[in-house]
Amino acid sequence: MADNARAKKLADLIREVVAQKLQRGVKDPRLGTHVTITDTRVTGDLREATVFYTVYGDDEDRASAAAGLESAKGVLRSAVGAAAGTKFTPTLTFVADALPENAQTIEDLLDRARASDAQVREVSSGAKYAGEADPYRKPGADEDDEDAATE
């Protein structure tokens, strides 16, 4: 088993090599400049690597980029093997990163919270206190109330 530092170092190297190769070495028009490598994770035995990517575009662009990455997997693995110089080159698995969808979900939730806050602010703008403006007793006020009650 390799230590975590070695796996992290190999993951960083794989991310850089795959990104450079996609930008300059792979001539597949499906990959173009729309594909961004976001993260890479390597197993503890350094045999398998998972490469996370995002694609800017619609669902059709995402599907074509996934097919392009699968077809370029051998070329990318060869480039990683040449750069890494390890005994065994890890197999590459490409996974679409859910980061943009998660970010959009969070933005939608924040927009709903802002709208709800604005609605509460609007409703409470003309509201008045149910009792007095200052409902707390003052130390000198108790004595005045007792004197008024006895008279």
Side-chain angles (χ1 to χ4, degrees):
M1 283 291 210
D3 59 333
N4 287 340
R6 187 172 178 196
K8 176 70 174 143
K9 191 174 182 181
L10 182 61
D12 291 343
L13 177 73
I14 291 171
R15 186 181 70 238
E16 291 174 15
V17 168
V18 169
Q20 288 175 357
K21 193 70 174 172
L22 284 176
Q23 188 175 15
R24 296 189 198 127
V26 178
K27 302 296 182 198
D28 194 340
R30 297 176 290 186
L31 299 176
T33 58
H34 301 327
V35 177
T36 303
I37 304 300
T38 56
D39 193 19
T40 307
R41 295 188 183 143
V42 178
T43 58
D45 60 357
L46 306 178
R47 296 275 181 166
E48 297 175 11
T50 304
V51 180
F52 294 93
Y53 67 94
T54 58
V55 178
Y56 296 107
D58 57 0
D59 290 335
E60 183 180 323
D61 292 336
R62 289 185 191 109
S64 66
L69 286 171
E70 285 300 316
S71 69
K73 189 183 284 190
V75 173
L76 295 172
R77 186 172 181 218
S78 298
V80 167
T86 57
K87 182 177 179 180
F88 181 80
T89 303
T91 58
L92 302 177
T93 304
F94 293 97
V95 176
D97 199 353
L99 185 66
E101 290 84 12
N102 291 344
Q104 185 61 44
T105 302
I106 291 171
E107 284 297 322
D108 292 342
L109 290 173
L110 288 174
D111 288 341
R112 285 194 344 209
R114 284 186 199 106
S116 175
D117 288 347
Q119 183 181 9
V120 168
R121 199 175 305 117
E122 182 180 318
V123 168
S124 67
S125 65
K128 296 185 179 192
Y129 292 105
E132 298 175 11
D134 187 11
Y136 300 105
R137 293 184 179 177
K138 306 282 189 271
D142 290 340
E143 295 169 0
D144 294 338
D145 290 340
E146 290 175 9
D147 290 340
T150 57
E151 291 179 4

